[in-house]
Amino acid sequence: MMSTLQNGTLFNSCNHSYRQKTEWSAFDIMGNYFVSTRKRWSECRICGKQNVLSPKERETYGILEFSGNIKDLLNEEEQLVAVYLLSELLKGNNNKRWEPLKKKLLQNYPYDIVDSAMETLHEHSLIIYKEEKVSLGWKIKQIKYNEKYLHDIRELVGWTPPDIPIWMSSPFPSLPLPKTTNGKKLHKLLIEQKQLFFQSNQAKIVDVVGNVIVSSSSSVKGYFKFIRILYALYENAEQHRKEYWKTFSQRVFGDTKSIQSNDKKRIQQYFGESLEEYGIIEERSEVVLSGEFTWVYEGHIGTSLAFKDYTAFPRDMINMIKVTSWVPPSMLIIENSALYFSIAKSKLLHKREWSIILGNGFISLQEMSIVYQACKLGLKEVFIWPDLDPYGLQIAQDICRKLNGQDVSVYLFGYTVEWFEQVGVYKPLESYDIDKIGNLLSQGFLHEKISTVLKRMREEGKKAEQEILFPQLSKSDFNQRLIRESIPFT
């Protein structure tokens, strides 16, 4: 056995190579709170010598017992804050970053009410703070609800269990026989997965080297979601459908944000990086617009006049751009990319009178950043030209909401029965299109021309994309048509 002296000699002679380790301690009472600290130490890879480091993170919640109804702890104003806060925590993962959540709270409620409600919930162990060490003490970094009181929290916010989506209750619907090569591959995979799942109630999908991508044993919901995406890719292959991830997500799950980056990575892990042969088009990595304007980027001055037809900014550059001058008083936002580039390159609208921006589906924060800056520099009118389908109107409504509070007039273009009749080439409405039309018509505040064209779509069971109409446009009258045929949109 090595003596203490010998052990110290070994440590001193070692050419230490340290690695840092961490471990959360059990909750202990410290004053009026339960506290769990993330212990930190460095350990030599060679001799095992350890150095204790000061902790930088901890979790805390109060020691007061809670029983009964949460409402009994709070006054009426504090209850409103609690309902808002806990509703946010119930969405998605129960671990929210505090700073953006605090910003939302303070936009809706006074500081003192937020502070007192938070203090009460924390003292009664309903919410747990994850804190980080700062120079003057501890600062809240993240916040989560105490799962011990999940039932009481749900009762307070009026939470009801969500309906089980059909892709989980009926994950393997029947498939028509495939006609395309890629359809046959997907058909074979889906039939195999169906057999595996119903034989053992367990199934998994692996990549070419045997790594598990998704399995029903680790996450039933994740597995069924992957299966639903495979079914939709099968439809793409068989129907020669081409769409962006956002449109694909909207069609499959009814929400452009349902397919997350992890879902995309899993699909690419199985099929490879490019999914064009399965109908998924890569999103543009730029914000694309035309019109006469100038900007500053990291001290450098730029002008759109240096570009021929349109200017394309990398998305990660947008937040560092300050628009310094804006000439055109009118802006046209076009959903359809093919239509956008046709109009921009054909110079149907003068750059000093019109700016044109590519929306490409639901418009992102980067595009809106440019629009907001233009509003402050003289932009007076925004015209939205969506596809002639129910989601086109939904996209236009989304843009209109984002422009609320800006000093601009908003108009909808190309969304009338007259335009619908001119198209000549149509696509059949899907069941989700018909449901969406019903939802839109039930809103009750639509312009008469909009509700009329939605009813026509439903009656005839078809929709259209606007790029088919480009040959009918001419330079001499397009500007006047925009002014004359657009509908005031709010």
Side-chain angles (χ1 to χ4, degrees), residues 238-274:
E238 290 296 289
Q239 299 171 17
H240 304 285
R241 187 196 298 264
K242 301 289 182 183
E243 53 195 342
Y244 294 99
W245 272 118
K246 281 186 177 182
T247 312
F248 181 78
S249 179
Q250 179 75 56
R251 177 172 68 84
V252 178
F253 297 107
D255 187 340
T256 60
K257 298 178 181 178
S258 287
I259 296 180
Q260 302 289 315
S261 58
N262 284 339
D263 299 314
K264 297 175 187 178
K265 287 176 182 176
R266 292 190 187 105
I267 292 295
Q268 289 172 327
Q269 185 179 347
Y270 188 85
F271 292 102
E273 287 294 319
S274 176

Side-chain angles (χ1 to χ4, degrees), residues 185-193 205 230 270-271:
K185 292 178 186 176
L186 285 161
H187 187 273
K188 181 175 181 291
L189 173 62
L190 287 166
I191 295 300
E192 289 173 351
Q193 289 297 312
I205 294 177
L230 292 179
Y270 188 85
F271 292 102

Side-chain angles (χ1 to χ4, degrees), residues 178-247:
K179 298 177 182 178
T180 65
T181 302
N182 290 323
K184 290 174 183 176
K185 292 178 186 176
L186 285 161
H187 187 273
K188 181 175 181 291
L189 173 62
L190 287 166
I191 295 300
E192 289 173 351
Q193 289 297 312
K194 182 178 181 179
Q195 292 171 346
L196 282 171
F197 184 80
F198 286 116
Q199 284 171 3
S200 61
N201 210 32
Q202 290 188 1
K204 62 183 178 182
I205 294 177
V206 299
D207 61 21
V208 291
V209 295
N211 297 316
V212 177
I213 299 172
V214 65
S215 71
S216 60
S217 58
S218 60
S219 172
V220 173
K221 185 175 182 180
Y223 173 76
F224 284 156
K225 188 177 185 182
F226 193 93
I227 291 296
R228 178 65 188 99
I229 292 172
L230 292 179
Y231 267 89
L233 291 176
Y234 175 81
E235 294 169 1
N236 280 10
E238 290 296 289
Q239 299 171 17
H240 304 285
R241 187 196 298 264
K242 301 289 182 183
E243 53 195 342
Y244 294 99
W245 272 118
K246 281 186 177 182
T247 312

